[in-house]
Amino acid sequence: VVAMDLTTWQGMRTRDPRRLILGSAQWGMPYGIANQSGPPNADELEAMLVRARDAGVRSIDTARAYGNAEQRIGAILREVPSNEGWRVITKLAPDVHQEGVGIAECLERVATSLSDSRMSLGQDALPVVLLHRFAHRHASGGKLWRTLLAERDAGRIGSLGVSAATPEEAWAALDDSDAEVLQVASS
């Protein structure tokens, strides 16, 4: 993909690189079998983004759980002219809901996760927010998800979605009309 010019892809929607999403887990922490030397330095990260942009990729996937990846992305995006059009997809912190956590604390954790993402990324409205754990879709009697819907309806989130770890979770997410984005996590 990176060897082709974006104009080469015109009319080839199924192979359009704008549909690809650049993952950032190893930008903020040691991650992945191919990552033998830790997170890339600032120059390496900038080179990756330039190469992806030149190939037509316009979306970056990140998460609260990816170390300081959101902060690094936010710092880079503050330096990039707005016409480059990067869309950042982030995920709630995976610990927003845990066994034994009450509804009030769960919703406070959701608010904190969203606030921290906005601050780190330097964005008042988050373009896309995913649940990091599919089980959170029904957490706290569904109040966690309804809180995210209210944030979306207020314009503080563009689209909502789910990161699914199994085919069953993916199918369940596809059945939910409020889940606009689906990530199927696999290694």
Side-chain angles (χ1 to χ4, degrees):
V1 169
V2 294
M4 297 189 74
D5 180 291
L6 183 58
T7 58
T8 308
W9 292 99
Q10 299 303 322
M12 297 178 63
R13 179 169 157 54
T14 58
R15 294 188 180 186
D16 188 336
R18 291 171 292 194
R19 296 179 70 197
L20 297 174
I21 300 170
L22 189 60
S24 70
Q26 64 179 259
W27 297 359
M29 62 184 188
Y31 178 84
I33 195 166
N35 185 352
Q36 301 297 312
S37 59
N41 66 39
D43 291 337
E44 293 167 330
L45 185 52
E46 183 178 348
M48 280 189 272
L49 286 171
V50 167
R51 188 158 184 181
R53 182 202 61 220
D54 290 348
V57 176
R58 292 292 183 266
S59 297
I60 302 170
D61 169 76
T62 193
R64 295 296 314 147
Y66 294 174
N68 69 344
E70 281 186 338
Q71 292 90 345
R72 295 187 78 195
I73 292 165
I76 290 168
L77 294 182
R78 284 188 268 286
E79 302 292 323
V80 172
S82 61
N83 64 358
E84 291 197 20
W86 285 104
R87 178 179 76 149
V88 179
I89 300 163
T90 194
K91 296 175 208 65
L92 286 179
D95 65 351
V96 294
H97 182 270
Q98 296 173 322
E99 190 68 34
V101 170
I103 292 173
E105 184 177 347
C106 174
L107 298 181
E108 179 61 33
R109 289 178 179 192
V110 169
T112 299
S113 181
L114 293 172
S115 176
D116 289 350
S117 288
R118 287 183 183 109
M119 184 166 295
S120 294
L121 293 166
Q123 299 181 347
D124 294 330
L126 299 168
V128 181
V129 174
L130 305 179
L131 296 176
H132 205 111
R133 305 271 185 264
F134 179 79
H136 293 168
R137 171 62 184 82
H138 301 289
S140 298
K143 288 187 179 187
L144 187 158
W145 186 250
R146 287 194 301 277
T147 297
L148 294 177
L149 291 172
E151 289 286 308
R152 183 195 65 191
D153 294 346
R156 292 184 291 270
I157 294 174
S159 298
L160 288 173
V162 174
S163 179
T166 67
E168 294 77 20
E169 290 178 356
W171 287 118
L174 288 171
D175 286 337
D176 185 345
S177 62
D178 286 320
E180 303 162 284
V181 178
L182 173 63
Q183 175 187 50
V184 180
S186 64
S187 294

